[in-house]
């Protein structure tokens, strides 16, 4: 059934690949609009959702229709009067803007951003993995398909897949399911011939027709010599990212910024490159209709965990990493052994606790991008098999060198703490195993593993712990009491205003530019529910986007107030501070508080940041 | 000294994963051997290994990434011990090009299929061919039909497995990682078939 669907992309092609594409943007967008309508997404359905099925995760409510109203309420504070619903003329204007932005940067932009690989010729991966893999993939492709079809639905392997891959949800949905259409945020990866590669919801193979439609939109615009980046239709944003033969699409009504959604697609692409390398492009050169999805077999959990992290992990929009708070001496001890290990011919050694860094080291001149670190830890954390025993696996760091595999030795010391040793040498396993034994000896001797557990239990910085001037606190709490009389926003009304830190400080994120690291305070009252936390992150994302808008200089502050928060952002060449306060917080106090936070972070910098050893500062 | 010989023979051109720095060389009473498991994704390779090494079965066991390394020592009836250094490889298609990295220099290859899946049996045939072409010439090969507990769903007959094994000079056994049926037997039989090193030189 899957291979049958390959005919639909080509028929759509003929329908939309106009030999004389109109240059009139109006016509252009009408075609796009009709495509969107055929996707049933131009009118978001707001009918009360009887069919909404419970989702497994429970903690990720992108797909909860009930949130629609909330996120719209949030919007008020941020859009500054921008009309949310844009008609098509505006849409094409948007397109035009994006397209011209794009033109300023040649097509090679992505490649240019990446540091040239210092040792690209030295990779075993290029010979053994990338090159060899490419031809094998292709050769086996046809027979795989046949076997699959013959086996049909009774295929035990795929039954197991559903059972042992917690990542994939709603596999039985397709674009005809009402529940599928109501998901708030879809991600798709497809090939430029319209073959589905990945879909966040539903079975990729059942979405072949839908993929063909997306492909038709992209190629229609491309045939006109343009590039489609964003289409707005009602509440929906459709964001496109073209990476050679691979198309990535996000359809969202989550009220996130275009830049962030595009950044999410970039990370999704990076995750795919981490698993397969960019040499996958060659398969498409040889066979335009190449079916890539079998090559991502068993990785649904990796992608769904990444998508989930877009709503909880600030690293996904800050492009910085975070450390587990731990005593300076312990971090130093770990760093020293990791550096020794790197001196013995290991490219990167990382000691991690979940997605947080305990310490890391790199070989001389080797630099690890925070995004690579994010994708790497997401991959390891979401692939359960790493926890059963020590493993040796090819992985590619997209920012380091997207073309070649590295080889990663992964070992979990306990449920949370693990070491990753990365090398270019495919036969280095026993050496890496020895390195791990040496590292483990140091960890045992200095008792780091139990200190890590303690740090997890204690959590990171808390706004409640910030030292404050008593007199000022009194004044501040009287302000807050006032606030309670006038009434807070509905969703916070039941929680006493003014809890959290001093002067209504609820939360902050401090990002050190020089270190490429950030520290985020623990969530405290009243930002306790997952929904509130997610909404706060979305507010930060917008703040981040607006602060990083082009054409604005350094040394900036921004102060925003809406019914949910007072947000304060302060950007200097050294750091960025994002802080959320009670919506009724006093502005002068809030500014004072921000200074206090910065001071506090500086006081604790040896415990909360990895100092010196950072290979990112190259 | 079996393992050493194999490693030496290959050390020139092929760089597999061989522990050249193995501290204790094997002797006639204490064998050690590198064993690789190959087979389609989902046939139960990891379950077989975890059953053998840890005595556990986890029905929700997770798809292997790259390859996992485990070791286990057993005592045979003639009081020799065999230390298995086991490479449990990932059956996912994208890793198949990497397989040589794991089977090079291996003294034992265990090729696993799922008796309920003819597709996985086809894949087993592919691995047999591949190893005959590229494996060590004196490699001990075993063919394993796993998930024998699912007999009511059986689609690959025992005779077919036996025939494939016989044709290729392999040892054949049907196992169940779930019930532990034949798991220890599999490794004991392999141990018995290992070439014994010549008396110490
Ligand atoms: N009934 C039954 N199920 C089994 C048996 N062995 C494994 N399974 C199931 O088969 C599934 C896959 O087993 P794995 O051991 O992970 O398969 P694998 O061959 O290692 O797969 P890859 O790592 O992807 O190559 C698991 O969910 C097990 O529950 C068995 O003997 N009987
Ligand atoms: Mg496995």
């Amino acid at each position: 059934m899957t291979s049958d669907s390959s005919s639909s992309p080509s028929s759509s092609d003929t329908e939309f690949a106009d030999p004389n594409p109109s240059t009139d943007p109006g016509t252009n967008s009408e075609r796009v609009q009709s495509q969107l309508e055929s996707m049933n997404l131009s009118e978001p359905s707001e009918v009360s959702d009887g069919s909404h099925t419970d989702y497994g995760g429970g903690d990720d409510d992108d797909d909860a229709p009930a949130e629609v109203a909330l996120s719209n309420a949030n919007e008020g504070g941020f859009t500054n009067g921008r009309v949310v619903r844009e008609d098509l003329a505006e849409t094409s204007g948007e397109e035009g803007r994006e397209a011209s932005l794009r033109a300023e940067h040649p097509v090679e932009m992505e490649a240019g951003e990446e540091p040239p690989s210092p040792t690209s010729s030295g990779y075993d991966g290029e010979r053994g993995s990338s090159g060899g893999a490419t031809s094998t993939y292709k050769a086996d492709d046809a027979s795989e398909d046949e076997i699959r079809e013959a086996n049909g639905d009774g295929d035990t392997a795929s039954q197991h897949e559903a059972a042992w891959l917690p990542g994939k949800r709603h596999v039985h949905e397709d674009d005809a399911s009402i529940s599928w259409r109501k998901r708030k945020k879809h991600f798709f990866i497809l090939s430029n011939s319209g073959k589905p590669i990945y879909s966040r919801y539903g079975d990729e193979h059942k979405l072949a027709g839908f993929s063909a439609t997306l492909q038709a939109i992209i190629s229609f615009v491309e045939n006109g010599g343009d590039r489609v980046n964003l289409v707005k239709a009602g509440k929906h944003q459709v964001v496109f990212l073209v990476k050679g033969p691979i198309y990535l699409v996000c359809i969202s009504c989550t009220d996130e910024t275009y830049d962030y959604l595009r950044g999410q697609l970039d990370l999704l692409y990076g995750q795919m490159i981490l698993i397969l390398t960019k040499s996958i492009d060659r398969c498409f050169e040889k066979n335009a209709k190449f079916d890539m999805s079998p090559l991502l077999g068993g990785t649904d959990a990796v992608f769904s965990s990444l998508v989930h992290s877009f709503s909880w992990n600030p690293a996904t929009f800050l492009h910085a990493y975070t450390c587990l708070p731990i005593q300076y001496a312990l971090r130093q001890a770990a760093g020293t052994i990791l550096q020794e290990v790197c001196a013995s011919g290991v490219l990167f050694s990382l000691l991690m606790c979940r997605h947080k860094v305990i310490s890391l080291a790199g070989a001389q001149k080797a630099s690890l991008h925070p995004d690579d670190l994010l994708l790497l830890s997401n991959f390891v954390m979401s692939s359960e098999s790493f926890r059963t025993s020590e493993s040796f696996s090819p992985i590619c760091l997209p920012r380091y060198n997207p073309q070649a595999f590295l080889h990663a030795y992964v070992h979990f010391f306990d449920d949370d703490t693990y070491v990753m040793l990365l090398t270019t040498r495919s036969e280095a396993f026993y050496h890496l195993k020895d390195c791990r034994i040496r590292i483990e000896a140091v960890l045992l001797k200095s008792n780091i593993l139990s200190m890590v557990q303690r740090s997890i239990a204690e959590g990171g910085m808390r706004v409640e712990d910030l030292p404050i001037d008593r007199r000022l606190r009194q004044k501040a709490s009287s302000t807050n009491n006032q606030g309670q009389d006038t009434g807070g926003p509905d969703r916070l009304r039941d929680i006493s205003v003014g809890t959290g830190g001093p002067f209504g400080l609820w939360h902050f994120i401090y990002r050190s530019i020089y270190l490429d690291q950030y520290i985020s305070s623990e969530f405290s009252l009243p930002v306790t529910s997952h929904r509130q936390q997610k909404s706060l992150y979305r507010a930060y994302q917008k703040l981040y986007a607006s602060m990083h808008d082009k054409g604005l200089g350094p040394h900036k502050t921004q102060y925003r107030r809406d019914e949910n928060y007072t947000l304060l952002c302060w950007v200097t060449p050294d750091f960025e501070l994002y802080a959320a306060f009670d919506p009724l917080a006093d502005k002068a106090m809030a500014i004072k508080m921000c200074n206090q936070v910065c001071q506090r972070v500086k006081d604790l910098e040896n415990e909360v940041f990895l100092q010196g050893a950072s290979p990112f500062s190259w | 000294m079996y393992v050493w010989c194999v490693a030496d023979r290959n050390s020139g051109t092929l760089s597999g994963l061989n522990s050249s720095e193995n501290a204790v060389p094997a002797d006639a009473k204490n064998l050690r051997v590198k064993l690789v498991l190959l087979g389609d994704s989902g046939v139960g390779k990891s379950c077989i290994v975890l059953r053998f090494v840890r005595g556990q079965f986890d029905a929700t066991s997770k798809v292997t990434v790259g390859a996992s390394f485990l070791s286990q020592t057993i005592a045979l009836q003639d009081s020799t011990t065999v230390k298995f250094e086991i490479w449990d490889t990932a059956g996912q298609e994208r890793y198949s090009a990497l397989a040589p990295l794991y089977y090079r220099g291996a003294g034992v290859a265990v090729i696993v299929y799922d008796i309920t899946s003819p597709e996985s049996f086809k894949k087993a045939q592919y691995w047999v061919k591949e190893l005959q072409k590229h494996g060590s010439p004196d490699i001990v090969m075993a063919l394993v039909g796993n998930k024998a507990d699912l007999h009511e769903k059986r689609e690959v007959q025992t005779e077919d497995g036996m025939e494939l094994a016989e044709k290729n000079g392999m040892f054949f056994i049907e196992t169940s990682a779930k019930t532990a049926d034949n798991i220890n037997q599999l490794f004991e039989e392999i141990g018995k078939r290992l070439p014994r090193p010549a008396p110490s030189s």
Side-chain angles (χ1 to χ4, degrees):
Chain A
M1 52 170 173
T2 309
S3 45
D4 288 346
S5 63
S6 63
S7 58
S8 59
S10 46
S11 60
S12 317
D13 264 339
T14 45
E15 195 181 329
F16 289 101
D18 189 339
N20 301 306
S22 163
T23 45
D24 172 18
T27 320
N28 206 333
S29 20
E30 271 164 36
R31 304 296 282 271
V32 169
Q33 174 66 3
S34 71
Q35 282 300 300
L36 284 168
E37 273 160 7
S38 75
M39 288 153 58
N40 290 298
L41 284 161
S42 48
E43 265 332 297
S45 65
E46 292 190 332
V47 191
S48 89
D49 181 18
S51 68
H52 180 66
T53 46
D54 263 359
Y55 49 94
D59 49 357
D60 185 7
D61 46 5
D62 278 343
D63 43 4
E67 208 195 2
V68 176
L70 269 182
S71 36
N72 285 338
N74 289 348
E75 177 115 23
F78 294 103
T79 47
N80 293 335
R82 187 166 139 219
V83 185
V84 177
R85 167 135 205 155
E86 286 176 61
D87 68 17
L88 282 163
E90 280 170 273
T91 302
S92 70
E94 185 85 33
E95 247 169 65
R97 182 177 70 84
E98 302 295 349
S100 65
L101 266 180
R102 210 38 215 198
E104 285 168 29
H105 306 277
V107 187
E108 301 298 293
M109 187 177 81
E110 293 84 1
E113 279 170 359
E114 275 138 15
S117 159
T119 53
S120 60
S121 57
Y123 283 120
D124 296 303
E126 285 206 303
R127 170 187 53 77
S129 318
S130 320
T134 306
S135 49
T136 314
Y137 296 155
K138 224 196 132 213
D140 286 352
D141 184 30
S143 61
E144 271 301 296
D145 269 351
E146 282 163 25
I147 295 167
R148 246 155 236 205
E149 275 173 44
N151 243 0
D153 288 333
D155 177 6
T156 49
S158 59
Q159 274 167 11
H160 285 130
E161 227 164 70
W164 28 275
L165 296 173
K168 191 72 167 191
R169 298 184 304 200
H170 315 296
V171 277
H172 304 298
E173 293 180 359
D174 59 29
D175 53 334
S177 329
I178 293 168
S179 54
W180 186 89
R181 290 186 203 169
K182 283 187 176 170
R183 303 277 167 226
K184 289 206 69 192
K185 201 168 167 192
H186 285 275
F187 286 97
F188 304 97
I189 307 178
L190 56 140
S191 76
N192 60 1
S193 72
K195 280 221 197 277
I197 295 170
Y198 167 80
S199 167
R200 182 185 185 191
Y201 299 112
D203 177 355
E204 291 82 18
H205 296 289
K206 290 193 207 143
L207 294 170
F210 184 77
S211 266
T213 308
L214 290 173
Q215 184 268 345
I217 293 173
I218 297 167
S219 63
F220 174 76
V221 178
E222 276 191 342
N223 288 340
D226 209 339
R227 179 168 270 196
V228 55
N229 290 310
L230 172 67
V231 173
K232 290 198 173 191
K235 282 176 187 161
H236 285 96
Q237 297 188 76
V238 187
V239 179
F240 298 88
L241 181 63
V242 174
K243 294 280 193 183
I246 292 165
Y247 295 163
L248 298 100
V249 183
C250 172
I251 302 177
S252 161
C253 54
T254 56
D255 181 38
E256 290 164 286
T257 63
Y258 164 76
D259 285 316
Y260 187 42
L261 291 174
R262 196 185 157 89
Q264 293 174 14
L265 290 180
D266 243 319
L267 287 170
L268 211 59
Y269 179 72
Q271 192 74 75
M272 200 191 82
I273 295 304
L274 183 135
I275 295 166
L276 295 174
T277 78
K278 215 164 149 20
S279 66
I280 197 73
D281 288 1
R282 272 183 260 145
C283 300
F284 291 98
E285 282 162 24
K286 288 180 199 146
N287 171 14
K289 298 240 182 274
F290 175 69
D291 181 7
M292 202 179 125
S293 56
L295 294 186
L296 290 174
T299 59
D300 279 324
V302 176
F303 287 100
S304 61
S305 148
L306 179 69
V307 168
H308 179 50
S309 74
F310 297 151
S311 64
W312 71 262
N313 189 347
T316 56
F317 64 92
L318 292 175
H319 305 288
Y321 70 102
T322 194
C323 287
L324 182 83
I326 200 165
Q327 280 169 41
Y328 180 67
L330 294 180
R331 204 190 303 282
Q332 285 292 102
T336 305
I337 181 68
L338 292 181
Q339 261 157 14
E340 273 176 46
V341 160
C342 282
S344 76
V346 174
L347 190 59
F348 297 111
S349 354
L350 306 98
L351 183 64
M352 306 281 299
C353 173
R354 299 180 190 168
H355 64 283
K356 295 184 178 178
V357 171
I358 298 170
S359 188
L360 59 79
Q364 258 203 334
K365 305 241 161 128
S367 86
L368 186 57
H369 192 281
D371 284 355
D372 280 351
L373 185 53
L374 168 80
L375 297 171
L376 193 57
S377 61
N378 179 63
F379 182 70
V380 172
M381 288 298 290
S382 59
S383 306
E384 298 261 347
S385 79
F386 285 121
R387 291 160 185 275
T388 34
S389 60
E390 55 191 333
S391 305
F392 192 54
S393 168
I395 58 103
C396 165
L397 296 179
R399 295 281 191 157
Y400 180 74
N401 180 358
Q403 299 295 344
F405 275 124
L406 297 172
H407 297 270
Y409 173 91
V410 180
H411 176 82
F412 273 78
F413 296 112
D414 57 36
D415 280 349
D416 306 299
T417 311
Y418 56 100
V419 65
M420 288 191 278
L421 306 173
L422 272 51
T423 175
T424 55
R425 291 164 44 232
S426 64
E427 74 291 350
F429 173 80
Y430 287 96
H431 174 62
L432 301 180
K433 186 176 165 69
D434 284 346
C435 291
R436 184 266 298 173
I437 292 168
R438 283 166 61 200
I439 293 168
E440 193 162 13
V442 170
L443 299 186
L444 290 175
K445 205 173 136 201
S446 52
N447 204 24
I448 292 181
L449 293 178
S450 48
M451 294 313 281
V452 165
Q453 288 304 318
R454 199 156 129 188
S455 174
I456 294 173
E458 282 173 0
M461 290 181 74
R462 286 172 201 285
V463 291
E464 298 93 327
D465 296 344
L466 286 163
I468 66 146
D469 183 325
R470 291 206 165 215
R471 275 172 305 142
L472 292 179
R473 192 197 246 304
Q474 237 129 49
K475 192 180 159 201
S477 58
S478 68
T479 319
N480 287 334
N481 289 339
Q482 240 177 3
Q484 223 161 11
D485 297 339
T486 52
D490 279 356
R491 43 205 275 255
L492 300 170
R493 189 174 284 154
D494 51 342
I495 302 154
S496 92
V497 185
T499 47
F503 309 125
L505 174 63
W506 285 352
H507 188 262
F508 69 85
I509 297 179
Y510 176 104
R511 176 192 186 208
S512 160
I513 311 271
Y514 170 71
L515 295 173
D516 261 337
Q517 295 171 46
Y518 73 90
I519 169 93
S520 167
S521 70
E522 295 289 313
F523 284 109
S524 63
L525 283 172
V527 191
T528 45
S529 76
H530 177 68
R531 174 160 297 177
Q532 287 168 320
Q533 293 166 3
K534 191 160 143 183
S535 132
L536 178 57
Y537 275 149
R538 292 214 168 138
Y540 282 149
Q541 287 150 18
K542 285 182 183 162
L543 205 54
Y544 180 89
S546 75
M547 294 303 274
H548 290 260
D549 212 354
K550 284 183 192 118
L552 300 165
H555 282 295
K556 289 181 301 165
T557 56
Q558 200 176 141
Y559 180 81
R560 289 180 170 196
R561 194 195 286 274
D562 68 14
E563 72 267 36
N564 296 318
Y565 318 100
T566 295
L567 291 172
L568 225 149
C569 177
W570 182 15
V571 175
T572 79
D574 294 330
F575 67 84
E576 294 176 357
L577 180 72
Y578 302 85
F581 290 84
D582 187 317
L584 301 159
D586 178 75
K587 182 174 176 181
M589 293 300 176
I591 290 170
K592 274 207 181 90
M593 215 40 235
C594 285
N595 278 306
Q596 292 242 33
V597 168
C598 292
Q599 187 53 51
R600 182 76 181 150
V601 171
K602 288 218 173 71
D603 292 345
L604 293 176
E605 64 183 357
N606 283 330
E607 276 88 66
V608 298
F609 292 131
L610 172 64
Q611 300 279 354
S614 171
F616 303 125
S617 47
W618 287 87
Chain B
M1 286 188 265
Y2 180 70
V3 178
W4 286 82
C5 291
V6 172
D8 284 346
R9 191 180 308 123
N10 293 327
S11 60
T13 47
L14 300 172
S15 48
L17 290 160
N18 297 304
S19 51
S20 51
E21 60 277 77
N22 272 352
V24 195
D27 58 41
K29 283 283 161 196
N30 299 291
L31 306 175
R32 80 195 267 161
V33 64
K34 173 175 161 182
L35 180 151
V36 61
L37 283 112
L38 297 162
D40 214 350
S41 182
V43 298
K45 298 180 295 298
S46 300
C47 288
I48 289 172
V49 175
L50 290 176
R51 172 61 84 184
F52 172 56
V53 174
R54 302 195 184 142
Q56 300 166 345
F57 177 77
D58 178 0
T60 68
S61 91
K62 300 302 169 348
V63 57
T64 303
V65 178
S68 304
F69 180 83
L70 297 100
S71 61
Q72 173 74 309
T73 305
I74 59 165
L76 299 177
Q77 276 178 342
D78 63 358
S79 81
T80 49
T81 67
V82 183
K83 179 173 184 186
F84 291 102
E85 297 187 331
I86 302 166
W87 280 104
D88 170 23
T89 66
Q92 285 292 343
E93 165 129 19
R94 64 182 164 281
Y95 297 111
S96 57
L98 277 183
L101 185 63
Y102 303 106
Y103 67 65
R104 265 177 218 146
V108 181
V110 176
I111 295 167
V112 186
Y113 65 91
D114 170 352
I115 64 149
T116 71
S117 157
E119 177 187 351
S120 74
F121 189 61
K122 267 193 204 165
K123 197 65 184 244
Q125 288 165 303
Y126 161 86
W127 283 120
V128 173
K129 276 196 208 112
E130 165 105 3
L131 280 171
Q132 281 175 339
K133 262 190 256 162
H134 303 295
S136 315
D138 50 1
I139 193 167
V140 173
M141 294 211 283
L143 182 66
V144 175
N146 189 40
K147 307 199 187 179
D149 56 292
L150 300 176
H151 39 78
E152 72 287 359
K153 288 195 193 157
R154 176 190 287 276
E155 292 203 30
V156 182
Q157 300 311 314
T158 310
E159 297 74 53
D160 296 339
M162 261 152 104
E163 191 191 320
L164 176 63
E166 244 163 58
K167 260 200 295 192
N168 295 282
M170 302 167 83
F171 164 65
F172 175 71
I173 194 166
E174 287 192 341
T175 60
S176 166
K178 187 175 177 179
T179 64
D181 233 27
N182 277 347
I183 298 292
N184 286 337
Q185 285 83 336
L186 164 66
F187 289 91
E188 276 161 25
E189 288 300 327
I190 289 169
K192 285 186 207 160
R193 283 167 171 74
L194 290 177
R196 297 298 195 263
S200 137
S201 47

